[in-house]
Amino acid sequence: RSSPPCLPPREACRVAGAPGPPAGLAMVYFECQACNETVKKPKLAKHLEICGSYYVSCIDCSKVFAWNEWEAHTSCMSEAQKYQGKLFEAKESSNKGQAKQDAWVDNVQKRIEDPEAGISAQTKALLVKLLGFNNIPRKQKPFGNFVKNSLKIWDDKKIGEMWDVIFAANAKPPAATAPTNAASKEAPQQPDTPAKPACKEWAGWKRALDEVLAAHDGELPWQKLRDALVARYRSSGQANGMSEESLGCQALAEIPEAYLSAEDALVRLPAPAKRQKQA
């Protein structure tokens, strides 16, 4: 079998900065075309270095990849997709969760590849290896346990350095600050708004009673009169937290007997007062 006109597998595995898998999608398994061994993706580079195979195939989709192509194959079809074909429909809730996880891991990948991030070579190598796993926790404590179980790293300092990179990669950008130049400090001119009318001075229940009745041709049903008197009392600032019911009872208690009628529910100005108001 002829070798491709590029670096052999042993050298390719040592190329610095080889792109790691982007978003943490479903774990991919490959079959070595030289020894037919099934290998998880995170361990495939080491296997190729030992075995010397130039080609591997994906267990799920059976696609064959050259030694310099398999890194880009980050996810493959699930068992349901494989056997249901065009009839397969992904659950919406799982798609949302996967999209969130993909975006989270993609931010980590970009941070690793950023030359200005100041990440040590050792931490970068550990993170690249970590991104080959599925469902990496996005919380610090579960993340630490996941790294210990998956990468067999027990050094809390190393785990902390990995988490610092991940935290920085997914930190929310600071809120934009307002410009500090002199022009921006000047408050925008607001349109002139009419001042609120001053509270009308309260001259007593009797005076309010006469004015309300006079404004309604000298008579009103007692319920409407009560509400009008209470509204006037409140607008004058005299209520002092009294309830609507208490004010209503007080307003009715202040109506003189001469204003009441035994024939109907109307409250009327007495005849002399009515004529005086009309005059």
Side-chain angles (χ1 to χ4, degrees), residues 103-117:
W104 183 85
V105 182
D106 188 51
N107 290 337
V108 178
Q109 182 67 35
K110 291 177 181 178
R111 183 75 177 178
I112 294 172
E113 296 173 354
D114 184 2
E116 298 181 359

Side-chain angles (χ1 to χ4, degrees), residues 13-27:
C13 294
R14 299 190 182 98
V15 173
L25 302 175
M27 178 68 70

Side-chain angles (χ1 to χ4, degrees), residues 33-94:
Q33 296 293 289
C35 64
N36 296 327
E37 182 177 347
T38 300
V39 186
K40 289 183 180 181
K41 184 175 182 180
K43 298 182 178 181
L44 185 58
K46 184 68 174 178
H47 177 85
L48 293 178
E49 186 177 353
I50 297 173
C51 181
S53 174
Y54 286 101
Y55 297 95
V56 294
S57 62
C58 176
I59 293 296
D60 292 319
C61 64
S62 302
K63 186 177 179 180
V64 177
F65 299 92
W67 60 269
N68 59 344
E69 297 174 340
W70 61 269
E71 282 279 7
H73 193 56
T74 57
S75 66
C76 199
M77 65 183 70
S78 63
E79 289 295 318
Q81 288 174 291
K82 186 174 182 180
Y83 294 107
Q84 294 178 20
K86 295 182 179 179
L87 299 177
F88 174 78
E89 291 184 4
K91 294 182 179 179
E92 184 178 356
S93 59
S94 63

